[in-house]
Amino acid sequence: KQCRLIGAPVQDGAGRLGCEMGPSAFRTAGIARALADLGHSVTDLGNVSPVPLRPLSHGNAALKCLPEVAGWTAALAGAAYEASAGPDAMPIFMGGDHSLAAGTLTGLARRASDMGRELFVLWLDAHTDFHTLDSTESGNLHGVPMAYATGRPGFQGYFPPAPAHVDPHNVCMMGIRSVDPAEQRALENSGITIHDMRKIDEFGIAPLLRAFLQRVADANGLLHVSLDVDFLDPGIAPGVGTTVPGGATFREAHLIMEMLHDTGLVSSVDLVELNPFLDDRGRTAILMVDLLASLMGRRVLDYPTRSF
Ligand code: DIR
Ligand code: MN
Ligand code: MN
Ligand code: MN
């Protein structure tokens, strides 16, 4: 694969400072080396800069940093479109908070549509990030990217016009365990598949994921994986501003990544919400890099050499 590392040091969408250090932490944790050791070609394209701001005012007084996040969205949609060109392209967006997905999802959706393919999204997160600009109560814009990307109303005139939308029927969310009431109402008829932690506990992650991957394969789709650090249990991933108890375990997360690699369907990745200021000696950054390495082909067990 042609791995293209793209830093997106956006932190204006999160409720606390620190995500702007995310791309540096991923680099320090050895992300390029981990991919190169697996035999991939790796290019670090550096960090994206937001487009110039224009003043914006909105009726929802809770909104924080709307012009800044709108500027990042425009810049990242362009960066995602460009970095996804070519048959072996594997853009990897190093966040930065999850508002960056407003840009990556819509830029990648435009690329897919150019190719005559459909974009599918595996959303690994404690949260659904399905607020509109009107419904968010916290005002933190990392809570809106999936609503924007799937074309929910109310973004026009504030966020840039989306270059393309993601079909909500092509979205599967796993790990969900914190949903605000307004999001829940909107999700009910959205077409999005949601596997919350209850479902994962009850059925296990493998059959749920396998069913989604089969749909992607049947449609010859492109698959984008958006991995929010808070998908993981806070016990193994403390470096995030929005920890929620009861997250995915080390093995559940690695199993997902290994199954994704086996299918060969993944064409792009977001690594988001890493807050190095809150991390414990880099362990969350290192875990995220290890998960990416599993997704890109690293094997924990080499079965043929086992003698028992
Ligand atoms: C909550 C938390 N739904 C909000 N959202 C996120 O503020 O809108 N936390 N994305 O990581
Ligand atoms: Mn998120
Ligand atoms: Mn989250
Ligand atoms: Mn549809």
Side-chain angles (χ1 to χ4, degrees):
K1 290 278 184 187
Q2 304 276 337
C3 295
R4 298 174 184 155
L5 299 172
I6 298 138
V10 46
Q11 65 182 353
D12 293 314
R16 51 204 301 179
L17 302 180
C19 285
E20 73 161 358
M21 295 183 280
S24 302
F26 285 122
R27 292 186 178 105
T28 305
I31 190 169
R33 182 60 188 270
L35 295 166
D37 283 352
L38 292 164
H40 299 291
S41 133
V42 183
T43 313
D44 190 334
L45 299 173
N47 289 352
V48 172
S49 307
V51 305
L53 305 186
R54 62 190 185 96
L56 288 171
S57 64
H58 188 279
N60 182 353
L63 292 181
K64 297 172 196 157
C65 304
L66 178 58
E68 288 81 358
V69 175
W72 278 108
T73 300
L76 285 160
Y81 179 70
E82 281 164 28
S84 52
D88 285 329
M90 173 66 71
I92 296 163
F93 302 95
M94 305 180 291
D97 72 64
H98 220 163
S99 68
L100 71 85
T104 59
L105 289 177
T106 54
L108 295 166
R110 178 181 170 207
R111 172 63 60 197
S113 133
D114 281 8
M115 296 167 70
R117 314 261 301 267
E118 268 187 274
L119 182 68
F120 288 73
V121 179
L122 179 63
W123 188 265
L124 302 172
D125 198 335
H127 310 92
T128 55
D129 299 346
F130 204 56
H131 273 296
T132 64
L133 298 181
D134 302 281
S135 75
T136 172
E137 287 179 28
S138 70
N140 297 326
L141 289 171
H142 66 176
V144 311
M146 186 52 83
Y148 171 74
T150 54
R152 289 193 68 197
F155 289 93
Q156 210 177 344
Y158 301 101
F159 272 38
H165 285 119
V166 175
D167 183 343
H169 297 99
N170 293 356
V171 178
C172 176
M173 297 185 165
M174 299 186 98
I176 302 301
R177 57 199 188 278
S178 172
V179 184
D180 296 331
E183 291 180 289
Q184 197 158 338
R185 284 192 297 275
L187 285 161
E188 267 159 26
N189 303 307
S190 67
I192 294 177
T193 301
I194 301 184
H195 299 315
D196 62 5
M197 285 311 297
R198 157 75 196 261
K199 224 164 171 185
I200 291 173
D201 289 341
E202 202 169 341
F203 300 101
I205 232 157
L208 301 171
L209 180 60
R210 206 174 285 128
F212 177 64
L213 294 175
Q214 190 59 56
R215 286 178 46 212
V216 182
D218 290 346
N220 186 31
L222 297 170
L223 179 56
H224 176 70
V225 176
S226 200
L227 172 59
D228 183 324
V229 170
D230 68 34
F231 167 70
L232 304 165
D233 191 81
I236 56 168
V240 62
T242 51
T243 50
V244 186
T249 66
F250 183 90
R251 279 313 312 160
E252 283 169 335
H254 272 286
L255 177 59
I256 290 177
M257 299 303 145
E258 290 165 7
M259 288 176 67
L260 287 170
H261 177 258
D262 290 349
T263 67
L265 292 166
V266 178
S267 51
S268 51
V269 181
D270 300 324
L271 303 173
V272 303
E273 296 285 340
L274 175 65
N275 186 330
F277 199 71
L278 304 174
D279 204 1
D280 172 18
R281 300 182 75 89
R283 65 187 287 217
T284 308
I286 291 166
L287 174 56
M288 290 289 279
V289 169
D290 282 342
L291 289 170
L292 177 69
S294 283
L295 169 60
M296 295 305 294
R298 188 190 284 168
R299 298 236 153 230
V300 175
L301 296 177
D302 191 359
Y303 293 100
T305 66
R306 280 171 17 135
S307 54
F308 51 89

